[in-house]
Amino acid sequence: MVNWTLMHDCYGDVERVPALLGRVESDDNAEAWKELGYRLVLEDDLVFPAGFAALPRLVRLAPRSARARGLAGTILRRAAGHHGCDDLLAERADAIAEFRELLDRHLRSRPADYLASFLDLLAAKEEYHWSAVLGDFTDDFYHLACPHCAVEVTIAIGDHGCYSAIRDWHPGDVDRRALRPASAEELPGTGRWMYETAVRDGQESLADGIAHLFGKAECPRCASVFTIADEYASANRPVLR
């Protein structure tokens, strides 16, 4: 049982969220869902105790409600921040495990919201960094410093090519070097899971993008070779609680 008198939302209220949860459980009301989202996650960034407290009820609704599934995923994507609710989040371990299984089944159905659900599953697996930065690889760019000469390198992965380059304001990406995608056998734990899941679900573009993201790049300035995902993650990993 949740002691809602201790579970404030982003407005500081302690009674409105359980009332809204009761409403959406009995009536899939769009306005109630909209208000619930505003109260649990402020401006799609900060999450509050009421958000974590609501997770079990959202997960129970998720098999039949895309809104519940999306809101639960939004809450978990923000779980890496400084919310001061570590104990409360830990108490939701069973609900989060159930949510992981639900999302995995949902991905197997190859839904229209595949990428969003894929990112939610990454967050539910506590892979917050990749949940926050992974794109659909139609026209994705990752900026990082070469680990050897420190020049800023642009990594492009998308329909217009997969390459490393030095970005210039006027001519654009210059001195392009083709990326070297990782084979399935070379992929590390998280990268391999991401790749194998995308392959399993027939998401060829996503799988190919992941193989390139976890592959190698050559620095256009000094010609050194480095692992893209390692350098990008070390420079951009979010501050964890």
Side-chain angles (χ1 to χ4, degrees):
M1 297 295 292
V2 176
N3 184 353
W4 284 104
T5 63
L6 303 176
M7 303 300 163
H8 66 274
D9 61 23
C10 70
Y11 296 107
D13 295 336
V14 296
E15 297 178 351
R16 186 59 178 159
V17 167
L20 288 168
L21 286 170
R23 185 174 178 185
V24 298
E25 286 168 343
S26 61
D27 176 18
D28 190 29
N29 183 278
E31 287 302 314
W33 277 114
K34 184 177 180 180
E35 182 182 350
L36 193 59
Y38 286 148
R39 287 182 174 274
L40 298 185
V41 184
L42 179 62
E43 296 180 352
D44 224 25
D45 185 25
L46 299 176
V47 66
F48 292 80
F52 296 129
L55 274 174
R57 292 172 72 171
L58 292 174
V59 171
R60 285 197 294 271
L61 285 172
R64 64 180 188 275
S65 171
R67 290 189 178 102
R69 188 177 64 246
L71 183 52
T74 297
I75 291 167
L76 287 176
R77 287 203 215 182
R78 275 71 192 169
H82 294 291
H83 44 67
C85 300
D86 291 355
D87 292 343
L88 181 59
L89 182 60
E91 291 170 2
R92 300 296 177 266
D94 289 346
I96 294 171
E98 182 181 345
F99 191 52
R100 287 197 297 267
E101 294 176 5
L102 182 152
L103 286 172
D104 189 65
R105 292 194 300 271
H106 183 63
L107 290 177
R108 290 173 185 268
S109 71
R110 304 183 182 187
D113 65 343
Y114 187 93
L115 181 60
S117 297
F118 189 85
L119 298 179
D120 289 346
L121 182 51
L122 281 168
K125 292 169 69 68
E126 298 186 9
E127 294 292 346
Y128 300 115
H129 170 67
W130 296 119
S131 175
V133 304
L134 195 70
D136 62 3
F137 297 115
T138 56
D139 194 23
D140 289 10
F141 295 92
Y142 299 86
H143 304 284
L144 50 83
C146 170
H148 300 279
C149 72
V151 69
E152 183 173 295
V153 179
T154 294
I155 304 295
I157 306 176
D159 296 340
H160 302 291
C162 299
Y163 57 85
S164 59
I166 303 297
R167 173 154 290 185
D168 187 277
W169 181 259
H170 294 291
D173 293 339
V174 298
D175 199 6
R176 298 184 181 187
R177 310 288 177 93
L179 301 184
R180 308 172 190 181
S183 66
E185 295 75 20
E186 294 171 330
L187 287 166
T190 298
R192 177 171 291 193
W193 174 86
M194 292 164 64
Y195 176 83
E196 290 179 348
T197 300
V199 169
R200 179 198 71 187
D201 299 334
Q203 304 294 316
E204 291 86 0
S205 294
L206 181 60
D208 184 65
I210 291 167
H212 280 85
L213 181 60
F214 283 81
K216 304 284 188 181
E218 181 180 342
C219 174
R221 174 70 58 80
C222 69
S224 63
V225 176
F226 54 86
T227 302
I228 301 164
D230 289 350
E231 298 305 320
Y232 189 77
S234 65
N236 296 278
R237 192 176 301 278
V239 176
L240 302 182
R241 58 184 183 277

